[in-house]
Amino acid sequence: MKTLTLTTMPLEVRQTGANIATWLEEVVAKCNIPVNNIKAVVHDNGSNVVAAMKMLADKHNWVSVRCTGHTLQLIVNNSLKETSICKALGAARTLVEHFKKSELAHTKLKEKQQQMNTPEHKLIQDVSTRWNSTYFMVERLLEQRWLIIATLSDPEVTPRGKHYFDLFCLISGHCLKSWPRACSLFNVPLSGQEYATLSCLPQLAKGLQRSVQQSLSFETTPRKAFLAKVSKELTERWGNINTFFKDTDTVPLSAALDPRFRKLKFMSAEQRIEVQSIVEVLAIKARKESWKPTEVGQGQSVTVPR
């Protein structure tokens, strides 16, 4: 598989859906790419980009594919706005910031790590545009919990009146003890650049939804609220991912062509038969198009593969 950057264009006018659609068509024309050769466009969830793709889908029959990573980012970030989770994450960020800014606290933590012969891992500050970094921040805090508690218990590090120790108690005891790794693991197979990834989406989305539903029965009240929000967001954004609408529905067709998912267990029996029939028709059509008659002289012709 090859990835090429065809162009980087300055955006000197408003980034409206119509302008974005025009820019894409200009690139295609500039690079002499037949419009029919373009099957799909992958894009983020920006309303202007979505509008542009709707125009191009109607005009050129290009399939619109929203970036899975960006969609998952929106799902998790919206779910993290649950009040209890927000408080705990705020405490986590304040605590990490304290160790980043205080040379004394940083040095004492390192000394504790050496004394206990544990990995000298630094604490991680999350970044708002990458929800995975929030997961890694909490995971690292919990990994170093006893060393952090020992460091914060030192009067030199935590003067009287400071409440960093209370912050850590809020993080570890309130609602982030068993952070859902499912969302983080979800991104791994979909982040590859040297293999097809779209075919994984239906199976992974269904597995993530099932994992969330199973977890709801065993969690604390704050985490139940978080997971309920995740479940709702998954349904709203990927609720139709396991259904089939037409023969240009790229996601189920790609899964049907992937040996790992070709049995389409994530679909109903009726839709499974429909998708498999469409694949057979497309395969026969592709086979016919791949052969053409060639003149060999004296009015004779032979059919050869292109």
Side-chain angles (χ1 to χ4, degrees), residues 3-293:
T3 301
L4 304 174
T5 301
L6 299 180
T7 186
T8 302
M9 298 175 67
L11 308 181
E12 296 172 346
V13 294
R14 289 183 61 209
Q15 297 180 41
T16 62
N19 285 338
I20 293 172
T22 301
W23 290 327
L24 284 172
E25 289 177 320
E26 287 176 3
V27 173
V28 170
K30 181 180 178 181
C31 298
N32 296 318
I33 301 172
V35 171
N36 293 336
N37 279 14
I38 297 173
K39 303 302 178 188
V41 179
V42 182
H43 57 88
D44 64 19
N45 291 268
S47 58
N48 53 350
V49 182
V50 172
M53 277 315 305
K54 189 175 187 310
M55 296 175 195
L56 293 171
D58 294 339
K59 186 176 180 180
H60 302 302
N61 206 30
W62 294 354
V63 175
S64 170
V65 180
R66 301 194 186 198
C67 172
T68 300
H70 187 247
T71 303
L72 186 63
Q73 168 89 8
L74 295 175
I75 289 172
V76 177
N77 278 353
N78 288 341
S79 303
L80 290 175
K81 292 175 182 176
E82 199 279 324
T83 306
S84 302
I85 300 291
C86 268
K87 287 181 179 178
L89 289 178
R93 294 183 185 108
T94 301
L95 193 58
V96 172
E97 188 177 358
H98 171 61
F99 276 91
K100 294 282 185 185
K101 288 185 175 180
S102 171
E103 186 63 36
L104 177 61
H106 174 75
T107 302
K108 289 285 186 179
L109 178 60
K110 195 170 183 179
E111 288 175 2
K112 298 290 183 186
Q113 290 171 333
Q114 292 169 349
Q115 290 170 9
M116 300 297 293
N117 196 28
T118 58
E120 295 182 29
H121 291 159
K122 293 182 179 180
L123 300 185
I124 298 171
Q125 186 78 64
D126 70 338
V127 181
S128 60
T129 54
R130 294 182 179 272
W131 75 264
N132 266 13
S133 65
T134 304
Y135 165 71
F136 294 134
M137 176 182 71
V138 174
E139 185 183 48
R140 180 59 52 80
L141 281 171
L142 297 180
E143 174 199 272
Q144 299 286 323
R145 71 180 74 185
W146 302 118
L147 301 172
I148 293 173
I149 289 174
T151 304
L152 293 174
S153 300
D154 189 329
E156 277 189 76
V157 177
T158 310
R160 182 177 296 179
K162 294 289 184 179
H163 300 286
Y164 295 117
F165 184 77
D166 296 340
L167 291 177
F168 189 80
C169 290
L170 174 62
I171 299 162
S172 61
H174 188 43
C175 54
L176 299 176
K177 272 187 175 177
S178 52
W179 189 263
R181 296 185 70 237
C183 290
S184 181
L185 295 173
F186 183 96
N187 259 355
V188 176
L190 292 167
S191 298
Q193 292 186 328
E194 297 180 356
Y195 56 88
T197 56
L198 188 62
S199 57
C200 304
L201 180 55
Q203 194 71 37
L204 288 172
K206 184 178 180 181
L208 186 59
Q209 182 69 278
R210 185 170 57 243
S211 173
V212 169
Q213 291 297 329
Q214 290 172 349
S215 300
L216 277 169
S217 305
F218 306 101
E219 297 296 347
T220 60
T221 301
R223 275 182 43 82
K224 277 185 179 179
F226 167 73
L227 291 173
K229 181 67 174 175
V230 170
S231 180
K232 183 183 176 192
E233 288 277 334
L234 284 170
T235 301
E236 288 177 357
R237 296 181 184 276
W238 284 329
N240 295 324
I241 202 73
N242 297 324
T243 56
F244 185 67
F245 300 106
K246 53 185 178 179
D247 58 6
T248 56
D249 206 344
T250 308
V251 178
L253 288 176
S254 63
L257 293 169
D258 191 320
R260 296 169 296 176
F261 312 115
R262 63 187 177 85
K263 293 184 179 180
L264 305 175
K265 292 181 179 180
F266 51 84
M267 303 183 80
S268 67
E270 294 79 8
Q271 292 226 315
R272 202 176 301 153
I273 293 170
E274 186 181 357
V275 173
Q276 290 168 344
S277 298
I278 291 291
V279 170
E280 288 178 7
V281 171
L282 291 173
I284 293 169
K285 182 181 176 182
R287 178 181 173 83
K288 287 179 178 178
E289 290 177 351
S290 68
W291 293 77
K292 65 176 181 179

